[in-house]
């Protein structure tokens, strides 16, 4: 598992994260929610080894991240940042397949992201949403134990947002990957997450299954809205805002 112990981090001299403790388990889809500037991206960047925390520990299957080489970390974890990568004149398939052995993983990831019809298209010709799906497919094609996705639905239409989370559910069940997603979409978090982590002003307010973490009281404090999670007829948790 990924374990975070008493982690604090700052950005440009401003304290962003305060005493964060959490665990990310293989075979679970964990969704990190919270308002803008609550520290979601800083936490993911810290887990990816890009941002150096001020204090605390990050352990990957018991190994301290500070002792891992960049190569070893890349074998354990794949990360898709919030911003689309710089666009080069690669085709979709070339970008998804960079550094990946085996055609099956590449095609499976492209199929999940509805990219097979676009596989020979240049990235320069794609829309923002299509480039976003390509970046996600590149992460999903990697044979790592953990995946971090920062706001992966930002440029996606509703159909591809739902399709992405259906695919993430398949992945955690089938491959036992541990996936952590930073997200603004509360209904998607309620419907698909195994575990929700609610972040507010750099602190974890709650973590647990959606109906435990996304309570009326917690959402009122964090988002200033009246909302609650309940079970829908299809068995998925649903968020009602009133």
């Amino acid at each position: 598992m990924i374990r975070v112990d008493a982690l604090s981090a700052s950005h440009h001299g401003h304290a962003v994260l305060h005493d964060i403790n959490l665990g990310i388990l293989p075979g679970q889809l964990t969704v990190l929610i919270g308002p803008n500037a609550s520290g979601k991206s800083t936490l993911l960047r810290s887990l990816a080894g890009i941002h150096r925390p001020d204090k605390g520990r990050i352990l990957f299957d018991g190994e301290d991240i500070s002792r891992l080489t960049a190569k070893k970390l890349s074998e354990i974890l794949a990360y898709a940042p919030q911003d689309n990568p710089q666009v080069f004149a690669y085709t979709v398939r070339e970008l998804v397949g960079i550094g990946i052995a085996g055609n099956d993983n590449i095609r499976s990831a492209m199929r999940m992201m509805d990219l097979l019809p676009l596989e020979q298209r240049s990235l320069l010709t794609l829309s923002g949403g299509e480039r976003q799906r390509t970046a996600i497919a590149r992460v999903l094609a990697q044979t790592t134990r953990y995946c971090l996705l920062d706001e992966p639905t930002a440029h996606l239409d509703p159909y591809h947002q739902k399709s992405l989370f259906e695919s993430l559910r398949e992945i955690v069940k089938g491959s036992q990957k541990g996936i952590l997603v930073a997200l603004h979409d509360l209904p998607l978090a309620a419907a698909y997450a195994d575990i929700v982590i609610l972040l507010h002003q750099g602190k974890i307010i709650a973590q647990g299954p959606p109906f435990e973490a996304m309570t009326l009281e917690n959402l009122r404090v964090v988002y200033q809205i009246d909302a609650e999670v309940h079970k829908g007829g299809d068995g998925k948790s649903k968020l009602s805002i009133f």
Side-chain angles (χ1 to χ4, degrees), residues 42-231:
T42 299
L43 178 54
L44 263 66
R45 287 170 58 84
S46 298
L47 293 175
I50 297 168
H51 188 89
R52 183 184 295 273
D54 299 328
K55 65 177 185 178
R57 295 192 309 166
I58 301 171
L59 303 175
F60 288 92
D61 298 333
E63 293 187 82
D64 195 306
I65 188 175
S66 64
R67 299 175 183 171
L68 298 176
T69 64
K71 182 178 184 300
K72 179 65 174 177
L73 185 59
S74 70
E75 293 170 354
I76 297 171
L77 178 143
Y79 167 62
Q82 186 174 143
D83 298 324
N84 280 318
Q86 186 174 355
V87 176
F88 297 100
Y90 291 116
T91 66
V92 168
R93 193 189 187 288
E94 286 172 340
L95 183 67
V96 174
I98 290 175
I100 302 206
N103 187 56
D104 289 346
N105 287 343
I106 297 170
R107 291 192 64 80
S108 175
M110 288 196 298
R111 185 179 298 108
M112 287 180 181
M113 292 296 99
D114 193 23
L115 290 171
L116 288 177
L118 306 177
E119 64 178 322
Q120 298 305 321
R121 285 267 302 273
S122 166
L123 297 179
L124 300 174
T125 70
L126 300 183
S127 69
E130 289 167 340
R131 287 199 299 272
Q132 180 82 350
R133 283 154 48 203
T134 303
I136 296 168
R138 170 154 171 67
V139 166
L140 299 183
Q142 298 177 51
T143 56
T144 57
R145 291 198 67 190
Y146 304 99
C147 294
L148 307 180
L149 304 175
D150 194 356
E151 298 292 349
T153 62
H155 301 285
L156 303 187
D157 58 55
Y159 170 81
H160 286 104
Q161 290 179 11
K162 181 176 183 293
S163 177
L164 167 62
F165 273 86
E166 295 284 358
S167 295
L168 296 181
R169 292 296 313 157
E170 290 180 19
I171 290 169
V172 297
K173 288 181 179 179
S175 70
Q176 291 297 297
K177 281 182 186 279
I179 299 180
L180 175 62
V181 182
L183 195 64
H184 275 302
D185 192 306
L186 300 184
L188 281 176
Y192 291 99
D194 292 306
I195 298 295
V196 169
I197 299 172
L198 183 54
L199 200 61
H200 182 51
Q201 297 179 351
K203 299 178 180 179
I204 292 178
I205 300 299
Q207 55 183 315
F211 60 88
E212 292 182 7
M214 301 173 73
T215 63
L216 176 64
E217 294 78 10
N218 288 340
L219 296 177
R220 184 177 288 164
V221 167
V222 174
Y223 289 99
Q224 291 80 56
I225 61 172
D226 287 335
E228 63 182 356
V229 173
H230 59 89
K231 286 290 186 182

